Amino acid sequence: MQTRNATQLPGGFRREAPPAATHRAGPHAPPGAPLFAALDLGTNNCRLLVASPSGASGFRVLDSFSRIIRLGEGLSSTGALSDAAMNRAEAALEACGQKLARRPIQVVNAVATEACRRATNGPNFIRRAERALGAPIRVIPAREEAELAMESCTPLLRERDRRALLFDIGGGSTEVAWVRTDGPDLPCLIGTISVPLGVVTLVERDGAACFSAEGFDRVVQEVAAKFEAFDGVHRIRQEMRAGGVRLMGTSGTVTTLAGIALELPRYNRAAVDGHELEMDRADRALEALRAMGRGGLAAHPCIGPERVDFVLPGCAIYAAIRQVWPAASITVCDRGLREGLLLRAMRARRKNRRGG
């Protein structure tokens, strides 16, 4: 009989390691380097990063995981997570738990977002999810979701930026953060809005709508109307006219637009993350995506059949943001909650080691 070792995780959780024969050698951290893990259980995806600190404020990724789980499938009509969706999420979390067991990870930060915030059976599912992962999972509010996205994208800011407008098009919601970047401390969140419309909720409501010109425009106007009130409070368009405002987008929608605009033969994170995409090129990429049709989207190497239903709803949300807040360019961010969680945890560790 083959024995297994157990890894102790924060909060008293334990995860059995899989048999040694199933281990895969991956990148190694420097000897003695602390290991951190961050997991984002979203409405559409389950994503994990394992990393060690690198340099003064960066990190080196040692392992990763990403799987489309469609946790929010059916949520808009029933108000609850379906058994099939929870089963898919549980399987993904078990795979992540196996990855956590393979390394002596000191800090595990796992968060859940809109689907678990909204679902009537969310608390029960979280207990089940924690057992599958072998670590605690925290359901975070929309504001913290925006803060984490802001933290992950902060390294892409420039000295000339005095403000940033950051948006994150998710599966169940879209967050927009209005950020002050010219203060004495880290970038400061001035205000945020979370709109309960994401790529999954739009597909659930009317999956085919965005494939027609009329349906696409209807979604654009609906989303734009929700953002207009936020602009009225913060006068963001006026600030943009004054200059020094960076528009930043973090989502599969924005990275896909960048991949199309750059005419990549296949998606390449190194080419996309941090790229400053001129708005006219982004507009042409958007029109190219809308012209492809379902078959063309499924066949494109930057999209694929698993994401075909979500691309145009995401583009409609992007077009609404583009309409409300016109900018000369957009900074593309292939980073999000996981990176924000890692940077936050590593910063806290450095602060504690300094004694304050």
Side-chain angles (χ1 to χ4, degrees):
M1 179 177 177
Q2 193 166 18
T3 60
R4 299 186 184 187
N5 296 324
T7 299
Q8 185 74 36
L9 296 171
F13 287 79
R14 293 173 67 83
R15 161 64 62 184
E16 278 195 346
T22 67
H23 285 202
R24 292 182 180 178
H28 296 286
L35 302 186
F36 297 77
L39 182 137
D40 172 15
L41 181 61
T43 303
N44 200 38
N45 296 277
C46 177
R47 299 186 177 101
L48 171 74
L49 281 181
V50 177
S52 64
S54 175
S57 59
F59 57 82
R60 178 188 181 193
V61 174
L62 306 175
D63 204 352
S64 64
F65 176 93
S66 181
R67 182 182 296 175
I68 294 175
I69 56 171
R70 305 191 309 280
L71 180 59
E73 184 178 55
L75 177 61
S76 58
S77 58
T78 66
L81 304 174
S82 70
D83 289 338
M86 290 189 290
N87 289 339
R88 289 192 296 267
E90 185 176 23
L93 290 166
E94 286 177 348
C96 291
Q98 291 176 1
K99 286 181 175 289
L100 295 179
R102 293 171 186 168
R103 301 177 188 269
I105 297 171
Q106 295 185 5
V107 177
V108 178
N109 282 327
V111 300
T113 56
E114 182 69 10
C116 293
R117 286 196 293 261
R118 291 177 54 194
T120 56
N121 58 346
N124 288 335
F125 168 68
I126 287 295
R127 288 192 288 271
R128 175 179 167 183
E130 289 179 330
R131 289 193 297 270
L133 179 63
I137 301 174
R138 186 166 56 92
V139 180
I140 59 173
R143 183 179 179 88
E144 185 174 355
E145 192 172 349
E147 289 171 344
L148 287 167
M150 177 187 73
E151 290 196 39
S152 72
C153 296
T154 292
L156 299 178
L157 292 168
R158 302 291 183 268
E159 287 187 6
R160 65 179 182 273
D161 300 330
R162 59 183 186 84
R163 297 285 188 275
L165 183 67
L166 171 66
F167 64 90
D168 181 2
I169 302 171
S173 63
T174 297
E175 278 69 43
V176 174
W178 180 228
V179 182
R180 179 183 179 183
T181 63
D182 60 355
D185 301 315
L186 289 169
C188 173
L189 188 61
I190 301 171
T192 183
I193 183 173
S194 179
V195 174
L197 291 173
V199 296
V200 174
T201 48
L202 288 175
V203 168
E204 287 284 322
R205 193 179 71 180
D206 186 358
C210 290
F211 282 91
S212 71
E214 181 182 356
F216 187 91
D217 186 63
R218 185 171 65 248
V219 172
V220 170
Q221 300 311 318
E222 176 188 359
V223 178
K226 296 181 182 299
F227 290 139
E228 283 288 356
F230 186 68
D231 183 80
V233 171
H234 296 286
R235 306 295 183 187
I236 298 170
R237 276 197 298 264
Q238 182 176 328
E239 292 280 1
M240 284 182 157
R241 286 192 292 270
V245 177
R246 181 172 295 274
L247 179 65
M248 311 177 81
T250 170
S251 68
T253 298
V254 178
T255 57
T256 298
L257 280 169
I260 299 299
L262 295 172
E263 300 180 350
L264 298 179
R266 62 184 60 82
Y267 186 73
N268 182 343
R269 183 184 186 274
V272 167
D273 184 46
H275 181 77
E276 190 167 346
L277 183 62
E278 294 84 0
M279 203 56 75
D280 59 343
R281 295 187 70 186
D283 291 344
R284 290 196 298 270
L286 175 60
E287 292 308 311
L289 285 169
R290 294 184 62 187
M292 284 182 192
R294 185 179 296 274
L297 292 171
H300 198 284
C302 288
I303 302 168
E306 279 195 317
R307 296 182 56 229
V308 65
D309 289 327
F310 306 120
V311 173
L312 292 187
C315 285
I317 297 172
Y318 161 78
I321 293 168
R322 166 88 171 89
Q323 176 176 303
V324 176
W325 295 299
S329 65
I330 177 172
T331 299
V332 181
C333 312
D334 188 351
R335 52 187 70 197
L337 302 191
R338 296 174 301 168
E339 290 84 357
L341 287 165
L342 288 172
L343 290 170
R344 179 181 287 183
M346 292 175 186
R347 186 170 63 249
R349 180 180 182 274
R350 288 193 298 269
K351 184 177 180 180
N352 289 337
R353 293 187 68 182
R354 291 195 300 265

